[in-house]
Amino acid sequence: MRLGIIGGSGAASFLSGGQPVPLAAGPWGECSGLVRRVVISGHEVLLMSRHGEPASPAIPPHAVNYRANVWAFHELGIDHLLGINTVGGISPDTACGSLVLPDQLIDYSWGREHTYCGSAEFPLQHAEFTMPFSARLREQLLSAAHRAGISLRPVGTYGVTQGPRLETAAEIDRMERDGCDLVGMTAMPEAGLARELDISYAICCVVVNQAAGRSPSGLGIHAEIAAHLAAGLSQAEALVEAFLSGS
Ligand code: HPA
């Protein structure tokens, strides 16, 4: 199996190493960075860091070239594409450090290049998006988690904000009323673009802080992120390993 992974903030060390994969220039401009190839449990894993190379200034969420990134994986012929996304927890059962496999999305982002449609090579389509993530890939990830004893919340609604600023407490209250369990800045347009290319796509979210106005610790969001990022990402890495070893 060939698994593509787009890693989020802090993912520089996630599955680091590996050989850069040559990529032909695509029609949508520059990707966030190199695609690196590693082999895990006999499977090829192609990894890109969504916010750019570790040595470069981080690309903010609204400026990520999602079209180029997803296109690159399409060209590389991956079987599945997995996003690793750090998020803030809104629902009470989304504790810091925990993993969530969302099944739904609400997109509050704006002004991003969000479609391939509109050219002769890519005519208009209205991609069906009722269920924004691949049901099969989600099931495989859930059974991998079960096998490996990794606890995760098996469903959730991810609300995508524009960033890069964090939200106000009132914005989070509104998102909760809308049904969001999580808040992050990058699941869209990535998921929509993957669907336009018919890629089997899902995301694994790592809760690194409680959303604005929700933290009982009073630590502040950045301190929470610093405290939970590494452990949460290593759980996500364990999930990827369990998924691959069972495939
Ligand atoms: N809000 C938006 N995006 C995020 C957060 C948050 O609280 N935490 C990590 N990504």
Side-chain angles (χ1 to χ4, degrees):
M1 187 221 300
R2 230 179 187 199
L3 173 68
I5 296 182
I6 302 183
S9 303
S13 63
F14 180 81
L15 301 178
S16 59
Q19 291 304 310
V21 175
L23 267 182
W28 310 102
E30 296 274 309
C31 298
S32 292
L34 295 172
V35 172
R36 290 195 172 75
R37 178 182 180 276
V38 291
V39 175
I40 301 177
S41 300
H43 297 283
E44 196 174 10
V45 179
L46 301 173
L47 179 80
M48 183 192 286
S49 176
R50 192 184 282 116
H51 298 284
E53 294 296 309
S56 313
I59 305 168
H62 66 281
V64 169
N65 190 342
Y66 296 94
R67 290 197 298 188
N69 291 353
V70 174
W71 189 266
F73 283 102
H74 170 64
E75 290 291 288
L76 289 165
I78 41 99
D79 299 300
H80 303 287
L81 182 57
L82 177 67
I84 308 281
N85 300 54
T86 55
V87 295
I90 299 178
S91 297
D93 59 345
T94 55
C96 287
S98 62
L99 299 185
V100 184
L101 223 52
D103 60 335
Q104 276 298 334
L105 278 172
I106 299 180
D107 188 6
Y108 302 90
S109 71
W110 46 271
R112 303 180 179 190
E113 295 287 3
H114 66 285
T115 180
Y116 295 110
C117 293
S119 64
E121 307 79 65
F122 216 96
L124 176 62
Q125 60 158 321
H126 297 288
E128 177 149 357
F129 206 44
T130 311
M131 302 307 286
F133 302 110
S134 157
R136 183 153 166 263
L137 179 55
R138 290 185 68 264
E139 266 164 35
Q140 289 174 341
L141 289 163
L142 287 171
S143 25
H146 188 69
R147 275 196 315 273
I150 298 169
S151 74
L152 54 71
R153 193 181 198 270
V155 288
T157 298
Y158 178 132
V160 189
T161 56
Q162 177 72 353
R165 69 160 177 84
L166 293 159
E167 300 71 34
T168 66
E171 285 170 336
I172 294 298
D173 289 343
R174 182 184 74 158
M175 291 177 76
E176 184 172 45
R177 289 194 296 276
D178 285 353
C180 295
D181 302 295
L182 307 167
V183 55
M185 301 176 189
T186 51
M188 285 296 282
E190 202 170 275
L193 292 164
R195 181 57 55 85
E196 284 187 354
L197 297 180
D198 217 7
I199 292 174
S200 159
Y201 174 87
I203 61 175
C204 170
C205 290
V206 181
V207 182
V208 290
N209 61 280
Q210 297 301 288
R214 299 297 159 104
S215 173
S217 75
L219 274 181
I221 289 180
H222 292 294
E224 280 186 353
I225 294 175
H228 298 287
L229 186 62
L233 285 172
S234 72
Q235 283 286 99
E237 192 165 343
L239 177 63
V240 169
E241 279 164 11
F243 169 68
L244 291 166
S245 64
S247 297

